[in-house]
Amino acid sequence: MGRDHDYVHGYAAAEQARLCDQAATLEARLHRGARYPAGGTVLEAGSGVGAQTIPLLRQNPDAVLTCVDIAAASLAEAQTRIRAAGLPVPALRQADLKALPFPRASFDHAFVCFVLEHLPDPPAVLAELRRVVRPGGSLTVIEGDHGSILLHPEDAAARAAIACQAALQRRAGGDPEIGRRLSPLLRQAGFADIRVLPHLVYADGTRPDLAEGFVRRTFAAMVAGIRDEAIRAGLTDGPAFDAGLAALDRAAGSEGSFAYTFFEVTAFVPPA
C-alpha cells in the first residue's frame, strides 16, 4: 500500500517512515505465509527501502534472499535500515522487474508485497517472475484493495479524499483495487495451485494499537501524503481534503471503526 519508488507517494523521509510503520504494524498478519526452508533461494521483487525485507529476514534466517528494486537510492536506504536492525544484508540488485538480470529458474521462491498495485503492466512482471522461479517453486503476492474500505462514522469527505489518492494512482498507471484481481492475473500468467487468503485488518476503540499504527500512521498518512498533488491536479481543494482527513482520524478514535482487506496469494510454477 505505497512504495518508495511509486510516483504517487514519492521518496520523502516521511513516506519511508510510513512504509516501515506499516510493515511493523502488519507483519504478524501479512507475513504468516512467507516462511521459506533453510537454503531456499528467495527473490524479493520491488524491495524498496527494505520495509518488507526486514520481516522476511527475521522470519527466514537460513534462506538465501536476493532483493531487487529499480531505484538505487532505495536499495542504499534498505542496506542502512537492515544493518541498523542487526540483520545480515542480502544481495541487493538494481533492475527493472520486467527485465530481471537472472537466468531462467534461478530461484525457489519469489515474494512481492505492495508493488503490483503501482505498476502499469503487472502481467509483464508476473511473466518475468514466472521465468526466474524454478518449476515447482512458489510466488507470494500481497496487495491491498481500496474498494474494501469500511469506516464509521461513514463520511463523504473521507471517501472523497480516498478517491483522490486512488485517482492519482490510476493516473500514474497503477490500480488501487488490484487485490481482487490477483488470482485471475496469476492464472493468466501461467501459475497453478493458486491459494488466496484475505486478511481483514479491523481497528476500533478496543484496538488502539491498530487504530494508531494502521489507520492513522499508515492509511491516513498515505492519503495525507498526496494532499498537495491532489489539489494541483484539480481533484479537490484544501478545506475539502482536510475535512476528509479529519473524518479518517475520527474513524480511528474511541467511537469509530475502520476496516481494510489485504489479499495474500500464493501460487506455484507448474512442474516442467
Side-chain angles (χ1 to χ4, degrees):
M1 214 162 66
R3 304 296 303 169
D4 61 293
H5 56 264
D6 169 26
Y7 293 115
V8 174
H9 300 300
Y11 294 85
E15 174 60 11
Q16 293 182 7
R18 187 191 71 81
L19 291 169
C20 292
D21 285 342
Q22 173 178 259
T25 301
L26 301 176
E27 177 178 346
R29 291 168 173 81
L30 300 187
H31 281 256
R32 286 178 291 187
R35 301 291 196 276
Y36 302 109
T41 53
V42 183
L43 173 67
E44 184 190 4
S47 54
V49 297
Q52 306 299 329
T53 310
I54 289 173
L56 283 175
L57 289 168
R58 284 180 180 144
Q59 295 177 174
N60 302 282
D62 298 316
V64 181
L65 182 64
T66 297
C67 300
V68 170
D69 197 89
I70 198 168
S74 298
L75 293 170
E77 178 66 21
Q79 180 171 276
T80 299
R81 289 180 181 274
I82 292 165
R83 283 178 174 162
L87 296 166
V89 178
L92 303 173
R93 298 285 298 273
Q94 183 182 7
D96 187 328
L97 298 187
K98 293 191 290 184
L100 294 168
F102 309 110
R104 184 177 297 275
S106 293
F107 298 94
D108 298 316
H109 311 280
F111 178 85
V112 187
C113 186
F114 306 150
V115 174
L116 297 182
E117 63 174 306
H118 299 295
L119 302 181
D121 193 1
V125 173
L126 291 173
E128 184 67 347
L129 291 172
R130 186 180 184 279
R131 183 186 70 81
V132 301
V133 174
R134 66 167 173 79
S138 72
L139 168 67
T140 297
V141 183
I142 300 173
E143 297 287 353
D145 192 312
H146 278 22
S148 70
I149 296 167
L150 302 174
L151 71 158
H152 174 78
E154 183 59 57
D155 190 275
R159 295 286 180 183
I162 295 167
C164 289
Q165 191 277 330
L168 290 174
Q169 191 167 335
R170 290 190 177 96
R171 290 185 184 188
D175 181 358
E177 297 178 346
I178 199 170
R180 68 190 71 181
R181 296 176 55 213
L182 290 179
S183 180
L185 284 170
L186 287 165
R187 186 168 57 252
Q188 291 160 15
F191 287 90
D193 195 13
I194 299 167
R195 306 168 187 178
V196 181
L197 182 60
H199 296 285
L200 175 67
V201 178
Y202 173 80
D204 64 15
T206 68
R207 301 179 179 186
D209 55 333
L210 281 174
E212 182 63 26
F214 179 64
V215 184
R216 288 196 173 105
R217 294 174 61 182
T218 296
F219 190 85
M222 175 186 68
V223 176
I226 57 91
R227 179 185 187 275
D228 292 346
E229 186 176 357
I231 293 171
R232 286 195 300 269
L235 297 173
T236 186
D237 57 45
F241 197 88
D242 292 343
L245 292 178
L248 285 175
D249 190 70
R250 285 194 296 274
S254 60
E255 301 303 317
S257 66
F258 186 93
Y260 189 98
T261 301
F262 295 93
F263 292 84
E264 176 189 358
V265 183
T266 301
F268 294 82
V269 177

